[in-house]
Amino acid sequence: MKQESRLQIAVSYWGKGALTTTRLRERIEQKNSKPIQVLCDLLSGACNPEPIEELTKKSKNKVQVKTLSGLHAKVWICESQVIVGSANVSANGLGFDDRVSQEGNMEAAIEVDQMKFAEEVKSWFNEQWERAEPVDASKIQTARERWKRRRNSDFMNEVKEFCNKQKSPNSVVPQVPGKEINNRFERYRIFYEGLLEALKGTDVPGEVNAPRKSGCFFRSGRSYLNFAAHFGEGNKVRVELRLNKPRDQNWNKQKFKKIALHKELIQKNLGPDIELKWEFKKDKQTSRIATYRCGDISNDESTLVEINEWFVKNLIAFKRAFEPYLDD
């Protein structure tokens, strides 16, 4: 992008070597370089703190860095030029590590040089910038611990090993003599073990019903109300509050209505990034209040890690947002 222009970057995850590959280090070291604003999701555990820490040590007149939880954008902005794409500044995203470049993700981006579009994207960036938090030494340390834990995760290693062994997500492997198990079920088991590990130390309810084929359920402490992380049909995953009193549709209906009375406050507690679907199932036993994203248990390793992190973030948010209104 144009060297003489101010630069705004909103990219969620950064990898080692990012500043060299993007020539940001070269740009910053130029005598008359213009200011750079960097927005990332440092505390996600998926962002390498090394390049972010280096950026924070640059002159504040040249570089400002903030972190925004849940950021998943990949946007580069200068005066009249915008690049919007799918690639993080990572080895998988940009293929700058020879060891993984052949296995990296298939990415796409579009460059637009229309002033009106650039101004609209700048406005969006500035809104996110105001919501974000400055990166300081304590955040760098937290990010370093989360990055290390994620890299060393037994869940990550097991998923990677499992995925590499399988020719097809729907093939069948032996389990014990005389029995077989579908690989999708094994993927669910590995995934939910990782999810439960990631939730340790959070305020998500500690009591967990045994994960089923495609869902993990957390007791709220109230009868017939549970939080859940769930793989659904049609390449969708969801976090939900489930209302499910057996053989009592009237209770489910009345409870749903009472919670819905607080819809605006609940949405305010969740924030604008979490879109709720209020799904009362008139002809079914279970109703739900849920948020969705794309995903399937047969996705690749990096996507499963993203889904795991999305589940953790939204389960915590759901618990805090709905908790005051479950006893009405």
Side-chain angles (χ1 to χ4, degrees):
M1 303 190 77
K2 297 175 182 177
Q3 292 289 330
E4 68 276 10
S5 173
R6 180 187 184 91
L7 186 59
Q8 296 173 307
I9 306 168
V11 175
S12 46
Y13 310 139
W14 294 61
K16 184 176 181 179
L19 303 191
T20 300
T21 302
T22 59
R23 301 177 70 179
L24 279 176
R25 185 183 289 111
E26 176 185 325
R27 183 185 186 117
I28 293 167
E29 291 173 354
Q30 290 180 352
K31 186 176 181 179
N32 297 319
S33 62
K34 294 294 180 70
I36 299 173
Q37 292 174 284
V38 174
L39 190 59
C40 64
D41 188 357
L42 177 64
L43 302 181
S44 63
C47 183
N48 189 330
E50 182 178 305
I52 303 303
E53 183 177 25
E54 182 179 344
L55 286 171
T56 63
K57 293 180 178 178
K58 303 297 182 183
S59 166
K60 296 298 182 183
N61 293 328
K62 287 192 173 184
V63 183
Q64 292 179 291
V65 187
K66 286 189 174 185
T67 180
L68 180 61
S69 177
L71 179 76
H72 206 251
K74 290 87 180 173
V75 179
W76 301 69
I77 312 163
C78 69
E79 290 175 1
S80 60
Q81 181 186 15
V82 174
I83 295 175
V84 180
S86 61
N88 290 301
V89 193
S90 65
N92 273 333
L94 298 182
F96 54 72
D97 184 332
D98 289 340
R99 292 180 296 104
V100 299
S101 60
Q102 297 302 315
E103 302 173 3
N105 299 327
M106 183 178 295
E107 309 285 1
I110 183 170
E111 177 185 353
V112 182
D113 58 4
Q114 297 175 1
M115 181 67 76
K116 182 180 179 181
F117 182 76
E119 290 301 325
E120 290 176 352
V121 180
K122 284 180 190 178
S123 177
W124 170 86
F125 180 93
N126 292 333
E127 289 176 6
Q128 312 316 310
W129 186 260
E130 289 301 315
R131 296 174 52 218
E133 298 179 351
V135 172
D136 55 22
S138 65
K139 286 186 174 62
I140 292 289
Q141 181 59 33
T142 300
R144 190 177 289 116
E145 293 168 359
R146 293 182 181 181
W147 173 257
K148 183 178 180 180
R149 185 167 64 242
R150 176 179 177 270
R151 301 288 287 182
N152 295 334
S153 166
D154 290 338
F155 160 69
M156 285 284 293
N157 294 332
E158 192 170 358
V159 167
K160 188 171 184 178
E161 180 180 358
F162 181 80
C163 291
N164 288 339
K165 286 180 179 179
Q166 310 311 318
K167 295 181 180 179
S168 164
N170 294 312
S171 61
V172 175
V173 294
Q175 185 184 30
V176 294
K179 292 187 177 181
E180 293 180 326
I181 182 169
N182 187 291
N183 281 356
R184 290 182 69 88
F185 296 167
E186 181 68 1
R187 281 175 173 254
Y188 287 130
R189 182 191 67 78
I190 294 171
F191 181 91
Y192 286 123
E193 285 180 2
L195 176 61
L196 296 178
E197 181 66 27
L199 285 167
K200 286 183 178 178
T202 72
D203 59 357
V204 171
E207 291 186 279
V208 183
N209 292 318
R212 303 176 192 172
K213 177 181 70 173
S214 59
C216 194
F217 305 91
F218 303 84
R219 297 170 190 153
S220 69
R222 287 84 169 173
S223 299
Y224 317 119
L225 294 171
N226 295 289
F227 298 102
H230 203 281
F231 283 85
E233 298 177 352
N235 193 37
K236 293 288 186 181
V237 299
R238 66 179 182 265
V239 166
E240 65 186 6
L241 174 68
R242 296 166 58 88
L243 299 86
N244 181 10
K245 186 173 183 179
R247 297 177 296 280
D248 194 341
Q249 182 68 335
N250 185 60
W251 183 93
N252 293 325
K253 180 179 180 180
Q254 295 305 316
K255 193 66 176 179
F256 189 92
K257 284 185 174 181
K258 287 181 179 180
I259 295 174
L261 291 174
H262 307 286
K263 184 181 293 188
E264 291 185 3
L265 288 173
I266 291 169
Q267 185 63 68
K268 183 178 180 180
N269 290 341
L270 287 172
D273 294 334
I274 299 178
E275 180 183 358
L276 289 181
K277 302 290 187 183
W278 295 74
E279 304 173 5
F280 175 69
K281 306 292 185 180
K282 183 177 180 180
D283 300 321
K284 294 184 179 180
Q285 178 173 296
T286 302
S287 293
R288 69 173 67 99
I289 307 161
T291 187
Y292 291 82
R293 64 155 281 167
C294 293
D296 187 84
I297 197 63
S298 63
N299 290 150
D300 60 32
E301 174 197 354
S302 61
T303 304
L304 288 176
V305 171
E306 284 188 11
I307 294 171
N308 184 292
E309 293 164 352
W310 185 85
F311 274 153
V312 170
K313 182 188 77 171
N314 285 282
L315 282 166
I316 293 171
F318 263 51
K319 200 265 184 181
R320 293 174 180 173
F322 282 97
E323 185 80 14
Y325 311 110
L326 298 185
D327 292 324
D328 286 357

